[in-house]
Amino acid sequence: MLLNPAKGGRDLIRIFKELKQSVTNDWGGAKPLFVEEDKEFLEKKEKLQDLERELSDASQQAEILVKAQQELGETMGELGLAFIKLSKFETEEASFNAQRIRAADAKRVATAAVKASRFFREANAQLVKHLDKLHEYLGLMQAVHTAFSDRSNALLTVQTLVSDLSSMNARAEKLAVASSRIFGGDKTRNRKVEELKDTIKVTEEARDCAVKEYERIKENNKNELERFEQERRDDFFNMLKGFVYNQ
C-alpha cells in the first residue's frame, strides 16, 4: 500500500494539535469555544458508569452463588452415595429386624439425597442461564465505552479546529492592521494575509464537516442509549423473574 507523505504529515499535525487541545481542556486552560452541552447525555453517561460498577459486583456475587449451589449439590450426591453403601452393608449384615429397619431408612435417605443432588444440578444450570445476563451486559459496557470515546474524539476534533480558526483569524487581523500602517501597504504582509484567508477557508470547511460528524455521533448515541435502556429493562425483568422462579 502506497502512503501519501503529505497526508500523513497533516494527520500527524492534527494529532499533535488535538493532543495539545486535550491537555488544555484537562489542565484548566481557557474554556473551549465548543463544549459538550447535552446535560441529559452527561447524566446518562454517569449512570452507566455506576451501572458498570454494580454489574461487576452483581456478577461476582452471582459466581459465588452458583459455586455455593454447585458445592451443595456435590455434597448431597456424596452423602447419597455414603448412605447407599451404608444401606447395602446393613442389608447384607442384617441379623435382626432393627438392622433391616435401619437399612431401609438409610436407603430412603440415600434416595432423597441423590434426588436432591440431581435437583441442585438442574437448578444450578437454570441459575447460570438466568444470571448470565449480568456477564453479557458487563461485556457490552466495552461497546458503550467505545461509543463514548468516539464522541469525545469527535468533540476534540471540533474544539481543535475552532481554536485554530480563532488563532488564524486573530493573526490575519493583526497582519492586516500592521500592513495598513505602511503607506501603500506591505506586500509581504498582504501576501501572508491572503494565504491565511485560504487556510482559514479550508479550515472552516473542515470544522463544518467535523461538526456534522459530531452531531451524527450524538444522534446515534441517543438512539443507541434509548435502545440499550429498553432492552436492559426487559432483559433484567426476565432475568429476575426466572431467578425467583428457579429459587
Side-chain angles (χ1 to χ4, degrees):
M1 182 177 65
L2 296 177
L3 297 176
N4 185 332
K7 184 178 184 301
R10 287 196 299 272
D11 288 344
L12 188 60
I13 291 172
R14 179 178 63 81
I15 289 171
F16 279 124
K17 285 184 176 181
E18 290 184 359
L19 178 60
K20 179 182 177 182
Q21 183 65 48
S22 178
V23 171
T24 300
N25 293 347
D26 292 341
W27 290 91
K31 184 179 179 181
L33 298 174
F34 196 94
V35 297
E36 179 66 77
E37 296 179 341
D38 190 342
K39 292 183 178 179
E40 183 180 357
F41 166 75
L42 293 174
E43 289 175 358
K44 285 184 177 180
K45 183 178 179 181
E46 186 175 346
K47 287 180 179 179
L48 284 171
Q49 290 171 342
D50 293 337
L51 172 64
E52 184 174 17
R53 288 191 290 271
E54 291 167 1
L55 281 173
S56 180
D57 291 341
S59 177
Q60 292 175 11
Q61 294 301 318
E63 289 179 5
I64 292 172
L65 176 60
V66 168
K67 185 178 179 181
Q69 286 203 173
Q70 180 181 344
E71 291 175 349
L72 182 57
E74 291 172 354
T75 300
M76 292 301 291
E78 292 171 359
L79 179 64
L81 290 175
F83 270 97
I84 287 174
K85 292 178 181 179
L86 177 62
S87 173
K88 183 178 180 182
F89 174 80
E90 291 284 2
T91 301
E92 292 174 350
E93 299 296 325
S95 301
F96 303 100
N97 190 48
Q99 288 178 301
R100 286 189 284 272
I101 292 174
R102 283 201 303 271
D105 289 340
K107 187 176 182 179
R108 282 193 289 272
V109 172
T111 301
V114 170
K115 285 183 178 179
S117 176
R118 189 180 302 118
F119 165 77
F120 277 117
R121 285 199 300 272
E122 293 172 358
N124 219 32
Q126 291 298 316
L127 182 64
V128 170
K129 178 182 176 182
H130 294 307
L131 297 185
D132 191 53
K133 279 295 176 185
L134 294 171
H135 300 290
E136 182 181 327
Y137 272 85
L138 191 58
L140 281 175
M141 295 310 295
Q142 183 56 48
V144 174
H145 284 305
T146 300
F148 290 166
S149 179
D150 289 343
R151 180 168 179 153
S152 296
N153 290 336
L155 176 60
L156 182 59
T157 298
V158 174
Q159 290 174 335
T160 303
L161 291 169
V162 169
S163 179
D164 286 349
L165 280 170
S166 178
S167 299
M168 285 187 282
N169 282 318
R171 186 182 172 196
E173 184 179 349
K174 185 176 179 181
L175 285 171
V177 171
S179 176
S180 67
R181 291 173 180 170
I182 299 174
F183 181 74
D186 186 322
K187 292 182 179 180
T188 301
R189 284 193 174 95
N190 287 339
R191 187 176 68 253
K192 288 182 179 179
V193 169
E194 292 304 315
E195 290 173 354
L196 265 175
K197 286 181 179 178
D198 291 339
T199 304
I200 287 171
K201 183 179 178 181
V202 172
T203 307
E204 285 176 339
E205 292 174 353
R207 177 206 58 196
D208 292 342
C209 289
V211 169
K212 287 180 181 178
E213 175 63 9
Y214 174 63
E215 293 297 332
R216 184 192 68 78
I217 291 176
K218 280 178 62 177
E219 184 63 24
N220 188 56
N221 280 169
K222 180 182 178 183
N223 295 334
E224 288 296 317
L225 284 174
E226 288 176 354
R227 183 175 64 84
F228 177 84
E229 285 298 319
Q230 183 59 52
E231 290 181 357
R232 184 175 67 84
R233 281 194 293 270
D234 294 342
D235 287 341
F236 278 25
F237 174 78
N238 291 328
M239 176 190 70
L240 291 173
K241 182 179 177 182
F243 172 74
V244 171
Y245 177 78
N246 185 65
Q247 293 301 304

